[in-house]
Amino acid sequence: MSALELPSAVNLARAQFALTVVWHFLFPAFTIGLASYLAVLEGFWLRTGKAVYLDTFRYWLRIFAVAFAMGVVSGLVMSYQFGTNWSVFADRTAPVLGPLLGYEVLTAFFLEAGFLGVMLFGLERVGKRLHFLATCLVAIGTLISAFWILSANSWMQTPAGHVVGPDGRFNPADWWAIVFNPSFPYRFAHTVTGAYLTTAMIVGAVGAWHLLHDRNNPRARLMFSMAMWMAAAVAPAQLVIGDLHGGNSYEHQPAKVAAMEGHFETERRAAAILFGWPDAEAGLVRDRIGIPGLASLYLTHDLDGEVRGLKDMPRDTWPTNLPLVFWSFRIMVGFGLLMIALGVAGLWLRHKGRLYDAPWLHRFAVGMGPSGLIAVTAGGTVTEAGRQPFTVYGALRTIDSVSPVAAPAVAASLAAFAAVYLAVFGAGIWFLLHLFNQAPHAHEPGPPPGQPIRTAGITPAPALVAGAQDAGRSLAQPAE
């Protein structure tokens, strides 16, 4: 393929960032909820003393370690892309985004790094309460990290609290307005709730998988029961939070919402289009199937409310890929409704006393295992593709944010990233599936007391000498 046949450098750079951010977000979407789940399990163990909580905690702790490591590694690459592919964006937004990302490192990453080792390896070494504190601090660290990252992303969606200098840079004027920009509270709640649901779906799927093989496994029962409680409580709440988030987006990013809904014409009693194919050139949704008036009702909370269409907005502000935004939104909502159905089914069977005796529900839960990951990926696609053609919505265009790098160079790095990510994280996901497939069982005790623990810079020589002396004394004593 010649250079003339390649896509533009900006589209290749967008594709490269999309590749890395999708791979990266899969792991934090899981570990944010899993860290809190581990804290809850350990708290119940300390309160009740029941071994089933500790066994389940240890089962998921190994999985958390693998997923957390892959999340950290996959996130490092994204930082470099700001300099290589998006240097203009990085330069102009650095006064705002630089401190926000720095706060994330100082308040969250250091907290997680400081206590992660204690959480992973310290249960038999530091005491129960101190270990529980470490687990809670790691869980809090994941939420703090989400706070700052989502604050930065939300500022790009709904920029506020800044002034643009003569050099085109965004200079902070009000940090409270920057951090708590108009879309941040809704996006933070929506994303964290989505992470909890993602964890619930995976935990529920693993528990259901093992219940299909052994209905009496108490650890599998515990996993499945807790996941079904989470689905029943949080999935409907996510629907409400999503509606509030959509209303906020309709106010501040009307072109994105019009693309999500497939609305080209401004109209009252606007229909909620369930299926169809948006055609930007023709200005309509082909083969549409919709419910009249429903979009006006949930967007304006008035059945006769007026909903703005894309044709009422400048053409150069429309999202650049309308079908992608349109269908990603429906995938997200569709899987959200399936999660609600799973939670309701779990509640009903729990009421009937058949939660662990319904293979059809267990198969349903197994099939829903990846649903949270799919939903958050689709939701992230709506967020980012819907913001186009801007990097900072309404203030900095994507075409003006890219580095002066030729398309062949970006294409080569994109191909390299695709190959490496597929190999490395494909192997990591395969290993996670291998861990999921191992049945949870009563955990073996920790390292036996009195034996040396090898750490960097410390040899077990003194303990070995003492052990040899004890053995010598034993040999010197006559046998009884």
Side-chain angles (χ1 to χ4, degrees):
M1 178 180 289
S2 66
L4 294 176
E5 296 174 330
L6 287 173
S8 66
V10 64
N11 285 333
L12 287 169
R14 287 177 60 192
Q16 185 177 121
F17 198 83
L19 171 74
T20 54
V21 76
V22 166
W23 274 107
H24 169 65
F25 192 53
L26 292 176
F27 302 111
F30 177 37
T31 55
I32 288 172
L34 187 56
S36 295
Y37 179 57
L38 288 170
V40 170
L41 285 172
E42 189 170 8
F44 280 150
W45 171 58
L46 291 176
R47 183 176 181 84
T48 66
K50 294 181 178 179
V52 65
Y53 291 111
L54 179 60
D55 294 339
T56 308
F57 171 86
R58 282 172 159 157
Y59 180 89
W60 286 103
L61 186 63
R62 298 176 302 163
I63 294 169
F64 176 82
V66 176
F68 187 89
M70 289 195 290
V72 171
V73 171
S74 60
L76 291 175
V77 178
M78 295 168 56
S79 301
Y80 290 104
Q81 289 183 67
F82 287 124
T84 57
N85 293 346
W86 302 100
S87 59
V88 178
F89 166 81
D91 175 66
R92 293 190 181 180
T93 62
V96 171
L97 296 184
L100 292 180
L101 299 179
Y103 297 151
E104 189 263 340
V105 173
L106 290 174
T107 60
F109 190 76
F110 284 176
L111 183 66
E112 293 168 341
F115 290 94
L116 182 64
V118 177
M119 175 185 175
L120 295 178
F121 308 111
L123 185 58
E124 288 86 8
R125 295 171 173 82
V126 299
K128 298 177 182 179
R129 296 187 182 278
L130 182 57
H131 186 270
F132 178 57
L133 175 63
T135 304
C136 291
L137 290 176
V138 170
I140 292 170
T142 63
L143 294 174
I144 295 175
S145 180
F147 177 94
W148 291 114
I149 294 298
L150 290 169
S151 176
N153 181 269
S154 297
W155 180 83
M156 294 163 61
Q157 305 284 340
T158 53
H162 67 276
V163 294
V164 180
D167 56 357
R169 306 183 86 201
F170 297 86
N171 297 309
D174 182 349
W175 277 109
W176 282 106
I178 289 172
V179 174
F180 298 98
N181 56 79
S183 66
F184 168 67
Y186 303 95
R187 183 167 286 105
F188 179 72
H190 193 51
T191 304
V192 171
T193 305
Y196 284 153
L197 277 174
T198 298
T199 301
M201 292 299 104
I202 295 175
V203 171
V206 174
W209 174 258
H210 294 295
L211 285 176
L212 288 170
H213 293 83
D214 180 5
R215 195 174 299 176
N216 297 315
N217 188 317
R219 290 155 290 277
R221 284 177 169 238
L222 178 65
M223 294 178 198
F224 188 66
S225 176
M226 295 180 75
M228 290 303 98
W229 279 124
M230 181 65 75
V234 179
Q238 180 72 316
L239 185 66
V240 176
I241 295 170
D243 177 69
L244 295 174
H245 188 18
N248 177 265
S249 297
Y250 179 70
E251 177 183 356
H252 295 280
Q253 295 178 292
K256 176 191 289 188
V257 174
M260 290 161 48
E261 298 292 339
H263 292 154
F264 286 90
E265 305 289 344
T266 298
E267 57 184 329
R268 295 186 180 276
R269 287 184 174 262
I273 301 174
L274 303 180
F275 302 102
W277 189 261
D279 187 335
E281 297 300 324
L284 53 84
V285 177
R286 299 188 181 278
D287 303 319
R288 56 181 279 175
I289 300 174
I291 302 175
L294 183 58
S296 288
L297 183 62
Y298 61 68
L299 287 175
T300 68
H301 298 153
D302 181 358
L303 189 62
D304 294 318
E306 183 179 86
V307 174
R308 292 181 65 192
L310 286 168
K311 290 183 178 179
D312 200 29
M313 307 171 201
R315 182 64 177 84
D316 61 355
T317 65
W318 293 14
T320 52
N321 193 330
L322 296 182
L324 178 63
V325 177
F326 180 88
W327 277 106
S328 295
F329 177 66
R330 275 142 191 80
I331 291 171
M332 178 187 69
V333 173
F335 277 104
L337 294 176
L338 287 175
M339 292 178 200
I340 293 175
L342 178 63
V344 171
L347 273 181
W348 174 252
L349 290 174
R350 191 190 299 272
H351 172 70
K352 292 292 186 180
R354 298 178 50 229
L355 183 65
Y356 310 115
D357 302 317
W360 68 266
L361 178 67
H362 303 157
R363 294 189 183 96
F364 183 19
V366 171
M368 287 292 289
S371 62
L373 296 172
I374 296 171
V376 297
T377 300
T381 302
V382 171
T383 297
E384 303 308 316
R387 185 186 61 210
Q388 297 299 319
F390 300 98
T391 49
V392 180
Y393 192 76
L396 179 61
R397 288 186 171 273
T398 305
I399 192 67
D400 299 323
S401 304
V402 72
S403 301
V405 181
V410 184
S413 60
L414 172 59
F417 275 123
V420 172
Y421 269 53
L422 181 61
V424 174
F425 297 113
I429 292 173
W430 176 88
F431 183 64
L432 284 176
L433 292 175
H434 172 72
L435 294 178
F436 293 158
N437 191 50
Q438 295 180 4
H441 54 78
H443 199 278
E444 298 83 2
Q451 291 193 6
I453 299 172
R454 301 184 70 103
T455 56
I458 301 177
T459 68
L464 292 176
V465 171
Q469 292 174 347
D470 292 340
R473 282 193 294 267
S474 298
L475 290 173
Q477 294 176 354
E480 297 182 357

